[in-house]
């Protein structure tokens, strides 16, 4: 698929389903209600997982809106992802530069007090702390996504926890993941530009959070689904090859 065409498809594929209104309308509505903000993020993560499964099998048909199963799946994925985020805190604790909750505490301080204030309050080894966080982020992000792909293809949620197998899957298909991250960055920039236009209008500023969350999960569902399909096709081809030989 040509590069520009791939970006375009990530944006328009939901509207190719003739029932897209009935299947998608609850997502922005729930995201627009402030008290349901956390629930909407969990729900959208579960929705994206269902979409990834469908695209991996070659279908772009939108999943029907099933809030309870989607909330359960989304919550599971968030719990596992948060588990990944606690690990750098444990590493910092071993190195004597923080505790298991260090990542969350430091992130909170940066968001509430700013980076400069946080840096001044830290010991001289704060650069090492950042290095640990960044290094782990580079490693854990594709490992978590590999686990999600294996979960989508197998239906076994325990594959999310098999970090060695997930890491090996990432290494074997690193070229596919690289293309995914390029698309992901470009789509994120596109969403940011759209947010800027909405914010500039003044009235559209109220739509920025809803648009950002929904656009992010919907577009990345397409790219993750294509990534899962490539992994699935490669696996199928490797299983057929010995038989054919």
């Amino acid at each position: 698929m040509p590069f520009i065409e791939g970006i375009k498809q990530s944006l328009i594929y939901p509207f190719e389903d003739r029932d897209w209104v009935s299947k998608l309308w609850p997502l922005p509505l729930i995201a627009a209600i402030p008290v349901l903000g956390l629930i909407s993020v969990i729900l959208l993560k579960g929705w994206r997982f269902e979409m990834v499964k469908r695209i991996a099998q070659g279908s772009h048909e939108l999943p029907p809106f099933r809030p309870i199963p989607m909330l359960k799946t989304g919550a599971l994925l968030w719990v596992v992802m948060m588990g990944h985020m606690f690990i750098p805190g444990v590493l910092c604790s071993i190195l004597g530069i923080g505790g298991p909750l260090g990542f969350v505490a430091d992130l909170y301080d940066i968001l509430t007090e700013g980076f400069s204030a946080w840096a001044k309050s830290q010991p001289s080894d704060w650069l090492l702390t950042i290095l640990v966080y960044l290094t782990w982020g580079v490693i854990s992000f594709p490992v978590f996504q590999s686990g999600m792909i294996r979960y989508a293809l197998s239906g076994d949620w325990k594959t999310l926890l098999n970090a060695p197998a997930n890491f090996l899957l990432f290494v074997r298909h690193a070229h596919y993941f690289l293309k995914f991250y390029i698309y992901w960055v470009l789509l994120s920039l596109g969403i940011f530009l759209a947010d800027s236009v909405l914010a500039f209008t003044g009235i559209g500023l109220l739509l920025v959070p809803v648009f950002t969350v929904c656009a992010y999960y919907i577009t990345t569902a397409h790219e993750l689904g294509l990534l899962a399909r490539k992994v699935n096709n490669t696996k199928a081809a490797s299983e057929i090859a010995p038989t054919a030989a």
Side-chain angles (χ1 to χ4, degrees):
M1 181 182 294
F3 193 78
I4 300 301
E5 184 63 25
I7 294 289
K8 177 183 175 182
Q9 191 62 27
S10 294
L11 298 172
I12 67 172
Y13 81 91
F15 310 110
E16 294 176 348
D17 188 321
R18 64 176 61 187
D19 298 322
W20 69 270
V21 174
S22 62
K23 292 179 178 179
L24 281 183
W25 72 263
L27 301 181
L29 178 63
I30 293 175
I33 303 175
V35 72
L36 298 179
L38 178 61
I39 294 178
S40 68
V41 174
I42 296 175
L43 184 66
L44 277 162
K45 207 171 190 69
W47 179 91
R48 182 175 67 177
F49 180 79
E50 294 297 324
M51 193 69 238
V52 168
K53 288 198 300 184
R54 288 169 177 260
I55 295 177
Q57 299 300 327
S59 171
H60 278 71
E61 182 181 354
L62 299 175
F65 181 67
R66 300 185 301 159
I68 301 304
M70 289 178 176
L71 280 172
K72 289 181 178 179
T73 303
L76 172 63
L77 293 172
W78 272 111
V79 167
V80 174
M81 190 172 75
M82 291 301 294
H84 278 259
M85 294 173 64
F86 277 110
I87 292 178
V90 175
L91 295 176
C92 288
S93 179
I94 294 173
L95 295 172
I97 55 176
L101 299 179
F103 177 81
V104 175
D106 290 344
L107 184 61
Y108 175 79
D109 289 340
I110 292 172
L111 291 176
T112 56
E113 301 179 11
F115 180 82
S116 298
W118 172 81
K120 291 178 181 178
S121 67
Q122 296 299 308
S124 58
D125 53 11
W126 63 270
L127 281 175
L128 180 57
T129 303
I130 293 178
L131 179 62
V132 171
Y133 290 158
L134 290 178
T135 302
W136 179 251
V138 171
I139 296 172
S140 67
F141 194 53
V143 169
F144 171 75
Q145 289 176 329
S146 297
M148 185 171 66
I149 288 172
R150 293 180 65 226
Y151 177 24
L153 295 176
S154 68
D156 183 4
W157 68 269
K158 292 188 289 296
T159 55
L160 288 167
L161 308 178
N162 193 340
N166 297 337
F167 179 73
L168 288 176
L169 183 141
F170 163 66
V171 171
R172 286 197 300 269
H173 303 284
H175 54 300
Y176 293 147
F177 277 85
L178 177 60
K179 185 177 180 180
F180 162 74
Y181 291 128
I182 292 174
Y183 275 106
W184 178 74
V185 170
L186 291 176
L187 287 169
S188 297
L189 287 174
I191 292 172
F192 173 77
L193 291 175
D195 285 341
S196 300
V197 173
L198 286 172
F200 183 76
T201 64
I203 297 177
L205 184 62
L206 299 175
L207 300 176
V208 168
V210 176
F211 173 79
T212 302
V213 172
C214 292
Y216 171 76
Y217 280 102
I218 289 173
T219 56
T220 54
H222 183 261
E223 296 309 314
L224 279 169
L226 291 181
L227 179 57
R229 185 191 300 178
K230 292 174 182 177
V231 171
N232 195 33
N233 290 342
T234 302
K235 178 182 177 183
S238 65
E239 291 174 350
I240 294 173
T243 303

